[in-house]
Amino acid sequence: MMGPHHAMTGAAAWIAVTATAGHGLGLCPVTPMGTLTGALLCAGAALLADADHTSATISRSIPVLGRLVTSGLSRASGGHRHGLHSILAVFCAWLLATGLSRLVWQPAGWPEPLGWGVAVMSAAAITFAVKALGLARGSWFFAWLLGGALAAIITLYAPGQQDWFVVCFTLGYGIHLVGDLLTERGLPLFWPFAPRPPRAWSRVPLLDALWSTGGNVAVPVLGNAGSIREWLLLIPVTAYVGYGVLYAVLDQAGADLFWGG
């Protein structure tokens, strides 16, 4: 799946999990602001598994350093669609998010502790999402500025919004794997192990597509990454995200008017 499509499915997943107004499951209820900022955070987290690809959005996020980081991760994980695209990687993403959520600082005179670990990762993830979704075309500076500003607002003025960070981050990372699982290449879900199917399995065309002789697992309903089927899938997904974002904006505006009046 292409990078912008991963980001859009991440935003859709967050809205689906959190929305309580009839267009979501309401499993992790948040305020309208939590829906908006969480959608961007989840979209950014949905790009992180491709940090093993030197041509990914993340590799261009910081001059020189971005490519060095992605090159190092690629070598450490065995290349693109290896270690960072496994169940183990999702677990590590959860551990990372949990650890970051516990990094707090209590400034003198400030009413609540500030989660600086959450702030840093939120700024980076939102920046990646802003760039991948085309909200800051041609300008990484503007993308970082917007990502940093939103992360600062959440951290300074809505610390309670950070309670959902671990869920949002892990969900975004996991939804990336779901998207790639739907392509023909599939994923090495059980990396570093690569269990291979029995010889008889590979003789059946349909089964061979689900579990390849290389050990990858796939449900290839989208075909190759970037296929027409993938683009067609993104039409309703994008419409759903647009509806969810618009609903949250109107809901937030209504809350502001109510409390302001």
Side-chain angles (χ1 to χ4, degrees):
M1 187 172 278
M2 308 299 288
H5 298 172
H6 279 304
M8 192 62 72
T9 55
W14 179 247
I15 292 171
V17 167
T18 62
T20 56
H23 57 278
L25 302 175
L27 299 178
C28 182
V30 296
T31 65
M33 184 59 69
T35 298
L36 295 172
T37 55
L40 280 174
L41 173 57
C42 199
L47 296 168
L48 294 180
D50 278 344
D52 59 6
H53 198 310
T54 54
S55 297
T57 300
I58 295 173
S59 71
R60 301 188 296 275
S61 59
I62 302 175
V64 182
L65 180 60
R67 186 169 290 273
L68 286 176
V69 170
T70 53
S71 296
L73 288 172
S74 180
R75 287 193 296 270
S77 62
H80 182 48
R81 284 211 191 190
H82 283 80
L84 294 190
H85 287 73
S86 65
I87 295 173
L88 176 61
V90 177
F91 176 69
C92 290
W94 174 78
L95 284 179
L96 174 62
T98 302
L100 289 172
S101 69
R102 295 180 180 178
L103 298 178
V104 298
W105 172 49
Q106 178 64 70
W110 199 261
E112 298 185 59
L114 302 178
W116 63 269
V118 170
V120 170
M121 182 53 77
S122 295
I126 292 173
T127 298
F128 300 151
V130 165
K131 202 69 174 68
L133 294 173
L135 303 178
R137 292 185 179 275
S139 175
W140 271 107
F141 174 78
F142 178 72
W144 279 106
L145 187 64
L146 183 57
L150 289 174
I153 290 171
I154 297 170
T155 303
L156 293 173
Y157 301 108
Q161 296 286 338
Q162 299 174 39
D163 295 342
W164 43 256
F165 172 77
V166 175
V167 175
C168 188
F169 186 87
T170 310
L171 175 65
Y173 197 101
I175 207 68
H176 180 113
L177 271 62
V178 173
D180 282 349
L181 192 67
L182 299 180
T183 63
E184 288 185 354
R185 186 176 174 184
L187 298 176
L189 288 180
F190 305 105
W191 187 92
F193 306 105
R196 300 188 179 191
R199 184 172 300 178
W201 179 286
S202 62
R203 298 194 187 105
V204 182
L206 179 59
L207 295 182
D208 183 57
L210 298 176
W211 185 11
S212 72
T213 54
N216 279 16
V217 178
V219 185
V221 295
L222 297 181
N224 290 321
S227 68
I228 294 296
R229 279 176 279 175
E230 181 179 319
W231 282 94
L232 290 175
L233 172 65
L234 262 291
I235 294 174
V237 170
T238 302
Y240 176 72
V241 171
Y243 172 77
V245 168
L246 178 61
Y247 191 97
V249 168
L250 294 177
D251 199 14
Q252 182 64 46
D256 291 341
L257 289 173
F258 175 78
W259 291 109

